[in-house]
Amino acid sequence: MTLRLPCAAPLLKTPPTAVLEGIAGFVPPDAVANDALPAAWGVDDAWVRRRTGIAERRRAAPGVATGDLALEAARQALAVACRPLVDAVIVATSTPDRPMPAMAPRLATRLGLGGSAAWDVSAACSGFVYGLAAAVGALASGCADRVLLVAAEVYSTLLDPQDRSAGIVFGDGAAAVVLRRGERDEPGGVLALDLGSDGSGHDLIQVPGGGALERSRPGEYGPDDRYFRMRGRDVFQHAITRMTQSAHTVLKRADWAVEDVDRFCAHQANARILSAVGDRIPVPGERHVTNIARVGNTGAASIPLALADAAARDELRAGERVLLTAFGAGLTWGSAALVWPELPTVPRIDDLDPAVRIPVA
């Protein structure tokens, strides 16, 4: 009698992942150069560039909200991917149009994708990487065949006019990627992810008011608590340490040596942080993907916006191994590794659509 053992091959098969098939970014047309910053801040172009590496940042026009920027970036990303059928929409943002409901269902309907699964991710400047992990999970589990992941911020709505430390850094923008279910060995496949958090640092980057705490304790909060606050010096070292550690974790999970990394794209916090993280991994500066000088820190949108910008300028080539890492409020952090795919022409991030000036209905 011959004993037939079950085939082990299915048990050893690598689970599916997300494969990038479209990307696009969008920034509002209004640019604020360093020389146009408020005189009361007492800064000049040289001072801002030296401290942050930023020359200008974009500001959404009055009446333009996060959902409007998200819509424009999503439309263009879907066009790059040849407008495929999408059955899940994820939005990563810290500046939603409303506290409730989530932005994603409304965005899906505006895109003609009503009926698809849709939800928001709130992980501050780590939001894109967290959203990427959520997309991988949805695709690998079979909950979706294709996911639209959008990261968008209108930080100008949170900035205190008297706070130059945040005002010189943050800008408004959005970016989107289209992801389909596929295999890790495909170009565009997400090979590895790492996520982490440390809630003991919750007060280092925050908007204290506007939530349930303020509503339940109105006497403890004032109008200024609706503004963004950050303890920059404390955040600086946390960001460098966490992004460096997370990047090394992802390299190990992807089975990459540091020398294997062709392009490195970190959250565009400020140029000094980017340089410090790159030095500690280490990845040479010529391999960095960055556009912070032209758009500032766009929060959750910063990584996909930098990637879309680089792709539009032919600075990202198919087959290049790309390392991503981010850090944000929470505290949260995360990293990802993928091999860049061959993509159709990606539009420039400042290609404008007049419809973006129409306020959200």
Side-chain angles (χ1 to χ4, degrees), residues 85-90 104-105 107-109 112-119 146 148:
L85 179 64
V86 170
D87 43 17
V89 177
I90 303 172
L107 177 63
T109 295
L113 301 173
S116 61
W119 68 96
R146 188 170 272 106
L148 173 66

Side-chain angles (χ1 to χ4, degrees), residues 29-341:
D30 296 331
V32 179
N34 292 336
D35 289 338
L37 293 171
W41 290 357
V43 301
D44 59 22
D45 179 63
W47 187 88
V48 176
R49 286 177 185 261
R50 185 171 62 252
R51 292 179 64 88
T52 68
I54 298 170
E56 65 180 31
R57 69 288 297 145
R58 299 300 181 100
R59 294 283 188 259
V64 175
T66 303
D68 297 307
L69 303 191
L71 178 65
E72 185 66 16
R75 282 174 172 165
Q76 294 194 36
L78 289 168
V80 170
C82 299
R83 296 180 176 83
L85 179 64
V86 170
D87 43 17
V89 177
I90 303 172
V91 175
T93 186
S94 296
T95 60
D97 291 348
R98 305 175 181 90
M100 186 175 64
M103 281 181 50
R106 171 67 173 147
L107 177 63
T109 295
R110 295 177 80 184
L111 291 166
L113 301 173
S116 61
W119 68 96
D120 287 3
V121 170
S122 179
C125 297
S126 304
F128 177 74
V129 179
Y130 268 71
L132 191 59
V136 170
L139 293 164
S141 68
C143 288
D145 295 319
R146 188 170 272 106
V147 173
L148 173 66
L149 169 59
V150 186
E153 306 281 15
V154 179
Y155 264 106
S156 58
T157 60
L158 296 180
L159 299 180
D160 183 345
Q162 310 303 318
D163 182 5
R164 77 175 187 184
S165 62
I168 65 175
V169 172
F170 286 93
D172 302 336
V177 295
V178 180
L179 305 156
R180 63 169 174 81
R181 185 188 300 121
E183 304 302 324
R184 281 171 168 75
D185 58 359
E186 290 187 67
V190 177
L191 298 173
L193 287 156
D194 175 66
L195 302 175
S197 74
D198 179 6
S200 67
H202 68 95
D203 59 344
L204 296 183
I205 312 169
Q206 62 171 325
V207 179
L213 274 176
E214 179 187 358
R215 293 170 187 269
S216 64
R217 307 171 189 173
E220 297 180 21
Y221 293 85
D224 287 350
D225 289 319
R226 298 292 184 98
Y227 290 128
F228 174 91
R229 302 297 182 198
M230 179 169 66
R231 286 159 45 189
R233 291 184 179 179
D234 295 326
V235 169
F236 186 87
Q237 193 55 54
H238 276 286
I240 293 170
T241 300
R242 297 303 192 178
M243 284 196 282
T244 301
Q245 292 174 343
S246 182
H248 278 294
T249 297
V250 149
L251 289 174
K252 185 175 181 179
R253 290 176 181 172
D255 198 23
W256 287 357
V258 172
E259 296 76 16
D260 293 330
V261 177
D262 298 305
R263 304 309 302 268
F264 170 62
C265 186
H267 164 53
Q268 309 286 289
N270 74 48
R272 292 191 298 163
I273 290 177
L274 299 181
S275 178
V277 175
D279 288 346
R280 285 163 174 75
I281 291 177
V283 180
E286 63 269 18
R287 299 184 189 177
H288 291 204
V289 176
T290 178
N291 66 351
I292 191 172
R294 294 186 295 110
V295 300
N297 180 340
T298 55
S302 75
I303 287 178
L305 192 60
L307 292 174
D309 196 15
R313 295 169 179 272
D314 283 331
E315 295 172 1
L316 275 172
R317 303 300 174 86
E320 289 185 325
R321 289 158 293 195
V322 182
L323 173 65
L324 314 176
T325 190
F327 173 87
L331 300 171
T332 59
W333 57 86
S335 298
L338 71 153
V339 176
W340 197 255

